[in-house]
Amino acid sequence: STCHATGEQMQTSPLSKVLDLMAELTAKITKEGEAESKAYTEYFDWCDDMARNAGFAIKTAEAKKEKLESQIGQLTSNIMVSTSKIDELVAAIASDDAELKDATTVRKKEAADFAKNEAELMDVIDTLERAIAIISKEMAKNPAALAQIDTSSNARLVQTLGAVIDAAGFAWCDDMARNAGFEIKTAEAKKEKLESQIGELTSSIMVSTSKIEELAAAIAADDAELKDATTVRKKEAADFAKNEAELMDVVETLERAITIISKEMAKNPAALAQIDTSSNARLVQTLGAVIDAAGFAGIDKQKLVALVQSQNSDEQEPGAPEAAVYKSHSSGIVDVLEDMKEKAEASLNDLRKEETNSKHNFEMLKQSLDDQMTADTKDMEDEKAARAEAAEGKATAEGDLEETVKLLKNTKDDLAKASATCMQVAADHEATV
């Protein structure tokens, strides 16, 4: 029974698998069909939406097209109307411009005619005014002779009036010559005075210009000297700062060395009491040993050894044996270092005194140059003001001279014209007598 059941299971198992596969395939196909149906439905919905939207867009575009075409037609009409108005306005402007030119031409002619007629009438009035003045003056001298004129006929009137005018004319000629001579003399004196004034002002301008150039050159030279001195002073200050720092470092190193070695000597006097000065090498070697024993830092040891070497190298005379260098240093190491410290401090004091003197000298020079440039600048501004005043006065005098020369010429011309007229009147009078 158990074997029979097992056999059935073995026989039905492949079929079950096939059925399962078919069921799975059916489910898959069904699912894919549903998905495809859904996609198809969505596609048709999209098509409907697309058609609906496209129809709306077309309707909107057609309405907009119709509106734009109407607008274009209206604007085209406006352009044509504006073009027509522009043509009319251009023609009107051209017509007005032509009319204005014609009116301007007419006005110029009217103005010229007026000027001519006005001059003639003013000459007539001037002539009559002079005649009235002269005749009135002559009547005051001889009232009976000029009180009445014969008006019984035109010829008698002209003859009598001519005689009166001739009589008065000679007196006018004398007055004219006298007055014109006085005016000419006055004008010539004024002309001479103005020419002299212009010459003096021109000379003053030249002198001021020369002084201004000299002061400008002096100011430039002082400024250049101050700049050079400032450059030198800056270098001196920089060198001082560097040398002062070095000497202060030397003094500080020696002070530390003396303090430390003195402390060590208190602990072990015999070991540090004396140093070997028989030679430079022995001195440096012994000093190195002392410094090592005193527990100096490496940098301080280097500085101290270098100081000793430098000190002894500076003191050694050319050709002298090495032992002679240290003869004066046969005492203890502290004495050697104290001596070096005193010399370093003395050098530092000398350096500071030299810096103080250099700084003081520079400040005195700077103050002197600044004061000189300030004074020269003030003098230059005063000269510029004087030159401007002279130039203004010269311009005024030249304008007055031009007017005086013009007046002198006009007076001489008037005198010449009057003299010619008087001579002609005299000749005519002689011919009629």
Side-chain angles (χ1 to χ4, degrees):
S1 163
T2 303
C3 292
H4 179 71
T6 303
E8 284 184 354
Q9 288 176 357
M10 292 178 62
Q11 288 177 357
T12 58
S13 179
L15 180 60
S16 297
K17 289 182 177 179
V18 169
L19 291 174
D20 291 340
L21 290 173
M22 289 181 66
E24 290 176 2
L25 181 61
T26 300
K28 183 178 180 182
I29 292 171
T30 301
K31 186 176 180 181
E32 289 178 353
E34 289 175 352
E36 214 174 298
S37 177
K38 183 179 179 182
Y40 179 78
T41 301
E42 290 176 352
Y43 176 73
F44 268 89
D45 290 341
W46 177 82
C47 288
D48 291 340
D49 292 339
M50 180 66 181
R52 189 182 307 107
N53 293 335
F56 178 74
I58 290 169
K59 184 177 180 181
T60 302
E62 287 178 345
K64 186 175 181 181
K65 173 175 174 289
E66 182 178 352
K67 182 179 179 181
L68 289 172
E69 287 174 344
S70 174
Q71 184 180 359
I72 290 169
Q74 185 177 354
L75 293 173
T76 301
S77 176
N78 292 340
I79 291 169
M80 293 176 65
V81 171
S82 296
T83 301
S84 176
K85 288 183 178 179
I86 290 170
D87 292 338
E88 292 175 0
L89 291 171
V90 169
I93 291 170
S95 176
D96 292 341
D97 185 61
E99 185 178 354
L100 178 61
K101 287 180 180 178
D102 292 341
T104 302
T105 302
V106 172
R107 181 67 199 112
K108 286 181 179 179
K109 185 176 181 304
E110 290 175 347
D113 293 341
F114 163 75
K116 178 182 177 183
N117 296 331
E118 182 187 39
E120 291 176 354
L121 288 171
M122 287 177 68
D123 185 60
V124 169
I125 293 171
D126 184 59
T127 301
L128 291 171
E129 285 177 346
R130 289 201 307 272
I132 292 168
I134 294 169
I135 292 172
S136 297
K137 187 176 181 182
E138 292 301 316
M139 284 181 68
K141 297 177 182 177
N142 191 3
L146 300 174
Q148 298 293 330
I149 60 174
D150 188 352
T151 61
S152 58
S153 67
N154 189 43
R156 294 291 294 172
L157 174 63
V158 171
Q159 183 180 1
T160 306
L161 185 60
V164 172
I165 292 172
D166 288 341
F170 290 118
W172 176 83
C173 287
D174 292 339
D175 291 340
M176 175 66 181
R178 189 183 307 107
N179 293 333
F182 177 76
E183 290 179 0
I184 290 171
K185 184 178 180 180
T186 303
E188 286 179 342
K190 185 177 181 180
K191 174 175 174 288
E192 183 178 352
K193 182 179 178 181
L194 287 170
E195 288 173 342
S196 175
Q197 182 182 358
I198 290 170
E200 291 176 0
L201 291 172
T202 301
S203 176
S204 298
I205 290 170
M206 293 176 64
V207 171
S208 294
T209 300
S210 177
K211 287 183 179 178
I212 289 168
E213 291 174 353
E214 291 175 0
L215 289 168
I219 291 170
D222 290 342
D223 184 62
E225 183 178 355
L226 180 58
K227 286 181 180 177
D228 292 339
T230 302
T231 301
V232 172
R233 180 67 201 118
K234 286 182 179 178
K235 185 177 183 305
E236 289 176 348
D239 292 341
F240 164 74
K242 178 183 176 183
N243 295 331
E244 182 187 39
E246 291 176 355
L247 286 172
M248 289 176 66
D249 185 61
V250 167
V251 172
E252 184 182 358
T253 300
L254 290 170
E255 286 177 347
R256 286 201 308 273
I258 291 168
T259 301
I260 294 171
I261 291 174
S262 297
K263 187 183 293 184
E264 292 299 320
M265 284 183 67
K267 299 177 184 178
N268 190 3
L272 301 174
Q274 300 289 328
I275 58 174
D276 189 351
T277 62
S278 60
S279 68
N280 185 41
R282 295 289 296 169
L283 173 64
V284 173
Q285 182 179 2
T286 307
L287 182 62
V290 171
I291 292 170
D292 289 338
F296 263 65
I299 187 66
D300 286 341
K301 176 183 176 182
Q302 293 175 6
K303 287 183 180 179
L304 196 56
V305 171
L307 286 173
V308 173
Q309 289 177 331
S310 173
Q311 176 76 13
N312 291 323
S313 177
D314 292 341
E315 292 181 356
Q316 184 176 5
E317 296 180 1
E322 286 187 341
V325 176
Y326 307 102
K327 188 173 182 180
S328 62
H329 298 309
S330 59
S331 57
I333 185 172
V334 174
D335 294 333
V336 173
L337 296 178
E338 287 283 1
D339 182 59
M340 291 173 61
K341 176 174 172 288
E342 289 177 2
K343 291 181 179 179
E345 288 175 339
S347 297
L348 181 59
N349 289 332
D350 292 341
L351 181 67
R352 286 173 174 169
K353 288 179 181 178
E354 183 180 353
E355 166 63 12
T356 300
N357 291 334
S358 297
K359 184 178 180 181
H360 175 72
N361 292 336
F362 169 75
E363 289 175 350
M364 292 293 290
L365 176 62
K366 181 177 183 299
Q367 184 65 45
S368 175
L369 291 173
D370 285 339
D371 291 344
Q372 186 62 49
M373 285 191 289
T374 299
D376 288 345
T377 299
K378 183 180 182 302
D379 291 342
M380 185 171 67
E381 293 302 322
D382 292 342
E383 286 296 336
K384 287 182 178 179
R387 184 176 65 176
E389 184 179 356
E392 183 179 357
K394 180 184 175 184
T396 302
E398 286 175 341
D400 293 342
L401 178 61
E402 183 179 357
E403 291 297 325
T404 301
V405 170
K406 183 178 179 181
L407 175 63
L408 184 60
K409 181 180 180 302
N410 292 337
T411 303
K412 287 182 177 180
D413 291 343
D414 291 342
L415 178 59
K417 183 178 178 181
S419 297
T421 301
C422 290
M423 290 176 67
Q424 183 63 45
V425 170
D428 293 342
H429 179 72
E430 289 293 334
T432 56
V433 173

